[in-house]
Amino acid sequence: MSQRKTNTGGREATLSVIPGKFALSVGKPRLPEPVGFTWTKLTDVARIESGHTPSRAKEEYWNGPIPWIGIREATGNHGKTIYETSQSITELGLNNSSTRLLPAETVCLSRTASVGYVVKMGVPMATSQDFVNWVCGPEMSPTYLMYILMAEQDSVRRFSHGTTHQTMYYPEAKALNVLIPPRLKQDGIVEVLGALDEKIATNTTRAATAKNLAEAYFLEAMRDASDEAVLGDVLALEYGKSLPATKRKPGNVDVYGSGGISGTHNEALCEDPGVIVGRKGTAGAVHWARRPFFPIDTTFYVVPKAVGVSQVFSYFLLRTLRLDEMNNDSAVPGLNRDEAHASRIRVPSEYRLRVFNDTASVLFDLVASTESENESLASTRDTLLPQLMSGKLRVKDAEKVLENAGV
């Protein structure tokens, strides 16, 4: 594959100064430099690169061997190193567009639409024009830069402009300054924060494995299911309740919309773990809530009715149905509850249900505990990150925090 050395061209760096929180700024800010840290122009320690989208009209430009990062990769993998992408391009597409093949370890920041999401390339890739990319030199750790951009996500959005869609333009990107220590100290900070992220990644894999295993037990239970029933006799889809954003009070209760968690509240509509189904918007989407939750009026929540039917069984059962097709009112798109309740399904014997529930409940308890631990680990990381990068906390002290957290 060819690899061209390029630059973004276009307008020069802005002369404006817009300070961020502590480690990122447009222009050099009048902010203190802690001992061992220096405000450095990012383009002095990293080469800035842009991206592009090859012509969609040319089939021969797409589905090739070159991974191509689109905006969904960033929003779905914020703060992660990615090795695969949902779209790819060919050598022909690369050579007949302004996109660039960038090396592994390139840091990619989304600058349009969903501004402020950051990923790192695990292998050579290209990106769309929605990203500004940095190929770091020896004085700048790519992972350290990714952590800076994660910690300063709100600042990146403040550096952006636009009425309909916010965009971080290249004059601001070219003028970025970062507060950094020497490379050896960067690596030490990365090691501390990376230990937390590695534990989070391990837990995420464990949770996914537990869910996959529970699904295998569900399929085994359904294999010999011979009794037929209508869904409404087995479980009920109840309407969620209205909860305007202005009335939400932050708390430890997850608020679910049709697309998943949309915030938190201090009061629960459902006290136990359960299932939420999208009614409007992402109609038919099935979500598992592992703790008390509040389903809003764009959703249904599940109430089991038949003997032996658990929330976990309901979760897998609903995932096997084509709920997204159950809408007979085109004027008001959404999941039709009566049609869903009338669906014909197969139900395992009470014995099979009991065996499944006993096994799946243990697995979903494991999912809940690992996800809960991940929340705590992520909170610890997000607390340490600004303190380490602003020079307020030494690496040795942060390592003690990790020991206390069992990492």
Side-chain angles (χ1 to χ4, degrees), residues 369-389:
S369 64
T370 54
E371 290 181 347
S372 178
E373 183 180 24
N374 273 2
E375 286 185 351
S376 177
L377 292 170
S379 177
T380 299
R381 179 201 61 204
D382 294 344
T383 299
L384 292 178
L385 200 157
Q387 295 185 47
L388 286 165
M389 293 191 162

Side-chain angles (χ1 to χ4, degrees), residues 151-206:
E152 292 275 15
Q153 187 179 51
D154 290 340
S155 300
V156 171
R157 291 169 177 165
R158 226 169 11 91
F159 302 158
S160 304
H161 307 280
T163 53
T164 305
H165 296 293
Q166 291 287 301
T167 299
M168 184 179 186
Y169 293 103
Y170 278 98
E172 283 72 31
K174 292 175 180 178
L176 286 178
N177 277 244
V178 288
L179 181 66
I180 56 174
R183 177 60 187 261
L184 189 61
K185 189 168 184 177
Q186 291 177 42
D187 292 341
I189 292 173
V190 163
E191 187 175 349
V192 169
L193 298 172
L196 290 164
D197 281 333
E198 286 176 12
K199 178 63 174 174
I200 290 171
T202 299
N203 280 350
T204 300
T205 300
R206 288 181 66 202

Side-chain angles (χ1 to χ4, degrees), residues 71-389:
I71 199 68
R72 289 184 180 179
E73 265 79 32
T75 56
N77 296 284
H78 181 54
K80 298 179 181 178
T81 300
I82 59 175
Y83 296 87
E84 298 178 346
T85 57
S86 59
Q87 299 179 79
S88 61
I89 61 175
T90 62
E91 184 88 11
L92 196 61
L94 180 73
N95 293 332
N96 286 276
S97 71
S98 298
T99 194
R100 299 89 154 87
L101 180 63
L102 301 174
E105 297 290 293
T106 296
V107 178
C108 314
L109 177 71
S110 61
R111 66 180 193 89
T112 66
S114 300
V115 178
Y117 290 90
V118 59
V119 295
K120 189 177 67 170
M121 294 180 183
V123 296
M125 297 180 175
T127 79
S128 74
Q129 64 276 13
D130 297 308
F131 294 87
V132 56
N133 309 301
W134 284 279
V135 181
C136 295
E139 296 177 352
M140 180 83 248
S141 160
T143 306
Y144 193 89
L145 176 58
M146 183 169 70
Y147 280 132
I148 287 178
L149 296 173
M150 288 173 61
E152 292 275 15
Q153 187 179 51
D154 290 340
S155 300
V156 171
R157 291 169 177 165
R158 226 169 11 91
F159 302 158
S160 304
H161 307 280
T163 53
T164 305
H165 296 293
Q166 291 287 301
T167 299
M168 184 179 186
Y169 293 103
Y170 278 98
E172 283 72 31
K174 292 175 180 178
L176 286 178
N177 277 244
V178 288
L179 181 66
I180 56 174
R183 177 60 187 261
L184 189 61
K185 189 168 184 177
Q186 291 177 42
D187 292 341
I189 292 173
V190 163
E191 187 175 349
V192 169
L193 298 172
L196 290 164
D197 281 333
E198 286 176 12
K199 178 63 174 174
I200 290 171
T202 299
N203 280 350
T204 300
T205 300
R206 288 181 66 202
T209 300
K211 277 190 176 181
N212 290 339
L213 190 56
E215 184 173 21
Y217 282 114
F218 168 79
L219 295 175
E220 179 67 25
M222 293 296 289
R223 187 169 298 152
D224 300 326
S226 57
D227 296 338
E228 286 198 356
V230 294
L231 184 67
D233 291 338
V234 175
L235 57 86
L237 299 177
E238 300 291 347
Y239 288 99
K241 304 298 182 182
S242 174
L243 183 64
T246 54
K247 293 186 177 181
R248 297 182 192 178
K249 298 179 180 179
N252 60 354
V253 172
D254 293 325
V255 175
Y256 275 85
S258 62
I261 297 174
S262 62
T264 62
H265 192 45
N266 64 344
E267 295 182 10
L269 182 62
C270 302
E271 294 289 346
D272 298 317
V275 183
I276 304 97
V277 179
R279 183 170 74 89
K280 295 180 179 179
T282 314
V286 182
H287 308 287
W288 173 259
R290 60 179 172 81
R291 62 185 182 187
F293 61 99
F294 195 110
I296 62 174
D297 52 3
T298 59
T299 69
F300 296 113
Y301 62 95
V302 171
V303 176
K305 296 173 67 176
V307 175
V309 173
S310 64
Q311 288 283 1
V312 178
F313 180 83
S314 300
Y315 171 75
F316 287 111
L317 178 65
L318 290 170
R319 279 163 53 101
T320 65
L321 304 178
R322 296 301 301 272
L323 296 176
D324 57 331
E325 296 179 355
M326 297 177 186
N327 170 36
N328 57 15
D329 187 353
S330 59
V332 185
L335 176 61
N336 185 289
R337 184 172 74 160
D338 291 340
E339 189 174 344
H341 278 173
S343 300
R344 304 293 301 184
I345 60 171
R346 292 182 298 117
V347 182
S349 66
E350 288 188 24
Y351 170 75
R352 284 284 191 182
L353 281 173
R354 185 165 61 253
V355 171
F356 167 79
N357 290 333
D358 290 345
T359 305
S361 63
V362 173
L363 292 169
F364 267 57
D365 284 345
L366 174 62
V367 172
S369 64
T370 54
E371 290 181 347
S372 178
E373 183 180 24
N374 273 2
E375 286 185 351
S376 177
L377 292 170
S379 177
T380 299
R381 179 201 61 204
D382 294 344
T383 299
L384 292 178
L385 200 157
Q387 295 185 47
L388 286 165
M389 293 191 162

